[in-house]
Amino acid sequence: MILIFPERLSSVTADTEDGAFPATYLTNDKPKRYWKSSGSNIGVLTATVAANSDQIGLFYTNAVSADIDILVGAVSQETFTIDLTDPHSHNRFWQSYTAQSVVHTIEITLTAAAATAVYAGVLKIGAGVDLANPAYGLTESRRDFSIIKELNNGAYYIRKKDSVRSFSLSFLEDRATDFYLFTQVMDYYGPKPVAILLAEGIDDLEWAIFGHILNPFSANHAYLNHTNTSYSIVEAV
């Protein structure tokens, strides 16, 4: 499991943007108040990032692929290509990269389906807090914001709204170091949304989430040196 903390994205620009959906929206923590190109299905985001960052999370996008170039000055350090349709469509990606000891630039080329204006909602870049993966038994559900009202005749009025992913999990971590680092991150964000890769090394598209931990975590100090910690997270909209 990886949490992005602290965040080190200094600025982001785009080579194309709709005037009503500027690239600055990528940093407002509101996925549906997003950046959108002026009509092209390809857009290049250029992020300026502070030193010692090594994680990228992009959320709420209609891109089908992403090409990432990590640059120091004009010199490429690493490149990545991500297929957001394998094995099925995803609206997000997570990418770890080699930490850079200086200010650097990240170019992200997003490609959507032909004749579709590419967009993306939230971009998070920063240092990774690396923790243990969740224990087996992580649960996933949906939180549905649809409006449902029972009418006098027994029928239902339904106004369909979006549903989002929700996860509940627990993990066992060393108490003296990683558990208290986790508490530091949680104290910083509180109920505000945070970027987390819930399970590392399995499927970085499936388990990446930008969401709210609305209820504080709970911890059980049942072991001499380790703590079992549980929390639930719901996707931000």
Side-chain angles (χ1 to χ4, degrees):
M1 179 166 52
I2 303 175
L3 297 78
I4 292 181
F5 178 80
E7 298 176 20
R8 292 183 171 138
L9 174 60
S10 299
S11 65
V12 59
T13 60
D15 68 335
T16 171
E17 62 182 22
D18 184 307
F21 301 92
T24 53
Y25 280 1
L26 286 160
T27 61
N28 67 11
D29 286 355
K30 297 177 175 62
K32 293 191 177 180
R33 194 180 183 191
Y34 49 80
W35 156 79
K36 184 172 72 171
S37 77
S38 60
S40 173
N41 72 315
I42 300 175
V44 180
L45 305 178
T46 301
T48 301
V49 183
N52 302 315
S53 299
D54 60 2
Q55 305 293 326
I56 307 167
L58 185 88
F59 305 90
Y60 197 72
T61 181
N62 66 339
V64 297
S65 67
D67 292 290
I68 302 170
D69 195 356
I70 314 295
L71 303 111
V72 174
V75 180
S76 177
Q77 307 296 309
E78 279 184 296
T79 61
F80 307 92
T81 296
I82 302 172
D83 182 356
L84 277 73
T85 65
D86 183 22
H88 56 85
S89 295
H90 298 83
N91 67 352
R92 61 200 172 269
F93 72 75
W94 189 287
Q95 182 62 58
S96 301
Y97 65 97
T98 303
Q100 303 297 316
S101 60
V102 296
V103 174
H104 52 287
T105 300
I106 301 177
E107 291 184 355
I108 304 172
T109 302
L110 298 174
T111 303
T116 303
V118 66
Y119 64 79
V122 171
L123 177 63
K124 291 294 180 181
I125 304 175
V129 174
D130 203 343
L131 302 172
N133 272 355
Y136 288 110
L138 177 152
T139 62
E140 178 178 354
S141 58
R142 293 292 184 272
R143 182 168 179 178
D144 192 343
F145 294 99
S146 297
I147 299 171
I148 303 173
K149 183 177 181 180
E150 185 175 353
L151 305 179
N152 290 337
N153 64 358
Y156 290 93
Y157 166 81
I158 298 176
R159 185 176 181 184
K160 182 70 173 68
K161 297 283 189 177
D162 290 336
S163 62
V164 297
R165 299 178 300 153
S166 179
F167 296 92
S168 295
L169 57 97
S170 62
F171 65 99
L172 185 67
E173 195 56 89
D174 180 87
R175 182 181 308 119
T177 54
D178 291 334
F179 168 72
Y180 286 110
L181 180 56
F182 175 78
T183 67
Q184 178 185 348
V185 177
M186 292 301 99
D187 289 344
Y188 176 82
Y189 284 104
K192 295 189 298 183
V194 56
I196 305 179
L197 182 62
L198 296 175
E200 182 182 359
I202 301 175
D203 184 339
D204 291 358
L205 299 180
E206 200 64 57
W207 302 112
I209 187 170
F210 180 66
H212 303 272
I213 299 177
L214 297 174
N215 297 313
F217 69 88
S218 62
N220 181 2
H221 301 301
Y223 303 96
L224 179 63
N225 296 312
H226 293 79
T227 294
N228 194 51
T229 306
S230 302
Y231 68 88
S232 296
I233 184 169
V234 60
E235 208 162 25
V237 295

